[in-house]
């Protein structure tokens, strides 16, 4: 299994601009790849940012830190 990890921040303009494209690519190839975006922002801040910019991230799983990522790998 492969993992795509996007390090992301709500004040990073390139991060905001790339997310719709990355999410659409993730939607095409979910068979052997799990998609995560890791942010040091709270989940509420991330959701507010995504809503503000009308971005849906239905193919990515939000994680607040790398410990969450490591835990999620072992729980799959």
């Amino acid at each position: 299994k492969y993992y795509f990890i996007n390090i992301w921040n709500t004040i990073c303009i390139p991060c905001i601009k790339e997310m719709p494209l990355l999410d659409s690519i993730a939607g095409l190839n979910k068979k052997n790849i799990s998609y995560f975006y890791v942010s040091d922002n709270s989940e509420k801040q991330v959701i507010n940012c995504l809503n503000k910019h009308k971005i849906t991230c239905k193919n990515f799983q939000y994680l607040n830190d790398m410990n969450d990522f490591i835990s999620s790998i072992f729980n799959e």
Side-chain angles (χ1 to χ4, degrees):
K1 182 134 184 157
Y2 297 95
Y3 301 93
F4 181 93
I5 305 166
N6 187 22
I7 308 300
W8 202 81
N9 195 289
T10 60
I11 61 169
C12 173
I13 300 303
C15 294
I16 294 167
K17 288 184 177 183
E18 75 181 359
M19 190 52 84
L21 175 62
L22 292 176
D23 191 56
S24 65
I25 292 169
L28 297 174
N29 189 2
K30 291 169 55 173
K31 187 174 183 179
N32 295 319
I33 304 173
S34 293
Y35 295 87
F36 298 92
Y37 65 100
V38 179
S39 178
D40 62 347
N41 299 110
S42 71
E43 188 169 12
K44 183 178 179 178
Q45 288 172 310
V46 170
I47 291 169
N48 287 341
C49 179
L50 295 174
N51 289 338
K52 176 182 175 184
H53 296 283
K54 297 178 174 72
I55 299 170
T56 58
C57 289
K58 60 183 179 260
N59 298 303
F60 274 79
Q61 180 180 345
Y62 165 76
L63 301 172
N64 190 247
D65 63 36
M66 288 305 289
N67 290 327
D68 289 343
F69 170 70
I70 293 167
S71 295
S72 68
I73 289 174
F74 292 107
N75 290 328
E76 286 191 350

